[in-house]
DNA sequence: TAGGCCATCTGGTCCT
DNA sequence: AGGACCAGATGGCCTA
């Protein structure tokens, strides 16, 4: 049970608890006593629970999209939508994990949170950009006064590389940077 | 036990 | 029309 109170349940009625006489949910084996208006359905080989209690935001005054199809069809669409959302969030989390592994940080048992990952990544990019621009300035005399121009050329170089290669091949990109720093 | 972080559900909106 | 995206809500887990 949640130890801290995070607000009371709202009175919104979800689609899952709307009355529909011709819709019956398949009950998960072993969960014969459903609490409240919860029910479980089988989707993709796993049991998923439909909660009758209100979740999600309700915009005051927002007009509801007209719901078509019967409750069973809406339930199926909602479950499919939930599954897609889970997959989307899993992909997002995979991307976060890849980002964690890409940025240097002090190794601890505790993994970086999402906000820490984004903040560190931002700082890392800034630091690398500063280093690269410093290198290009060293190769290009009088370039100090054209920092913005150099940064712009750096970005153009990177975007061109992405268009040509389609993915981030760091060694190729660095060779571009190298030729750029040579004043080409 | 409070608070941070997270996964998940949900419905509205945007986009193709 | 349907999927992707977004953000609010909620509950679980963990730690100080």
């Amino acid at each position: 049970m949640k130890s801290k109170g995070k607000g009371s349940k709202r009175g919104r009625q979800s689609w899952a608890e709307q009355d529909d006489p011709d819709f019956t949910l398949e009950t998960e084996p072993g969960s014969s006593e459903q609490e409240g208006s919860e029910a479980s359905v089988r989707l993709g080989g796993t049991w998923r629970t439909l909660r009758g209690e209100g979740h999600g935001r309700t915009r005051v005054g927002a007009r509801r999209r007209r719901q078509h199809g019967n409750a069973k069809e809406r339930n199926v669409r909602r479950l499919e939508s939930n599954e897609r959302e889970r997959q989307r969030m899993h992909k997002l989390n995979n991307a976060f994990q890849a980002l964690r592994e890409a940025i240097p940080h002090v190794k601890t048992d505790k993994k970086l949170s999402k906000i820490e990952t984004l903040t560190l990544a931002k700082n890392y990019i800034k630091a690398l950009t500063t280093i690269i621009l410093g290198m290009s300035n060293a190769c290009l005399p009088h370039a100090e006064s054209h920092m913005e121009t150099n940064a712009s050329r750096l970005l153009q170089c990177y975007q061109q590389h992405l268009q040509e290669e389609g993915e981030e091949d760091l060694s190729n990109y660095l060779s571009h940077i190298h030729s750029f720093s040579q004043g080409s």
Side-chain angles (χ1 to χ4, degrees):
Chain A
M1 191 58 188
K2 187 70 172 171
S3 57
K4 63 178 172 184
K6 284 202 175 181
S8 58
K9 292 168 184 172
R10 289 149 300 141
R12 185 174 60 78
Q13 185 182 42
S14 76
W15 54 268
E17 62 182 344
Q18 291 170 353
D19 290 335
D20 190 341
D22 61 2
F23 174 60
T24 55
L25 288 172
E26 189 182 0
T27 306
E28 180 178 4
S31 64
S32 54
E33 69 285 357
Q34 293 178 11
E35 293 186 6
S37 54
E38 271 195 4
S40 296
V41 296
R42 195 169 177 80
L43 184 76
T46 58
W47 286 97
R48 295 293 176 185
T49 301
L50 295 172
R51 294 182 187 150
E53 72 179 6
H55 277 85
R57 61 184 165 169
T58 303
R59 288 188 188 170
V60 177
R63 198 179 304 173
R64 276 199 146 177
R65 175 182 284 190
R66 177 168 146 63
Q67 295 185 328
H68 40 274
N70 60 28
K72 186 170 187 175
E73 290 168 345
R74 288 199 302 273
N75 273 284
V76 170
R77 276 197 298 274
R78 185 18 79 188
L79 288 173
E80 289 172 347
S81 182
N82 289 350
E83 179 64 23
R84 283 193 301 273
E85 179 67 5
R86 271 195 302 274
Q87 296 303 318
R88 194 180 72 85
M89 296 309 294
H90 288 166
K91 282 197 282 185
L92 185 63
N93 288 336
N94 287 341
F96 264 106
Q97 185 54 38
L99 189 57
R100 281 187 191 99
E101 292 166 5
I103 56 179
H105 66 280
V106 178
K107 305 286 184 197
T108 61
D109 290 342
K110 179 178 169 292
K111 80 168 185 181
L112 291 174
S113 70
K114 292 179 177 179
I115 186 69
E116 288 169 338
T117 302
L118 290 178
T119 304
L120 272 179
K122 182 200 75 175
N123 292 340
Y124 186 43
I125 290 169
K126 274 188 169 182
L128 289 180
T129 302
T130 301
I131 291 171
I132 291 172
L133 287 178
M135 289 168 59
S136 65
N137 288 341
C139 296
L140 293 172
H142 314 299
E144 292 83 355
S145 59
H146 301 93
M147 284 288 282
E148 286 187 15
T149 307
N150 283 339
S152 170
R153 288 182 63 188
L154 204 58
L155 180 60
Q156 281 181 8
C157 182
Y158 178 59
Q159 287 173 335
Q160 180 185 348
H161 168 76
L162 284 185
Q163 282 183 351
E164 290 171 356
E165 302 299 326
E167 61 184 42
E168 49 277 82
D169 180 342
L170 190 57
S171 60
N172 280 350
Y173 176 52
L174 288 177
S175 70
H176 277 272
I177 293 296
H178 180 68
S179 60
F180 163 73
S181 68
Q182 296 300 311
S184 60

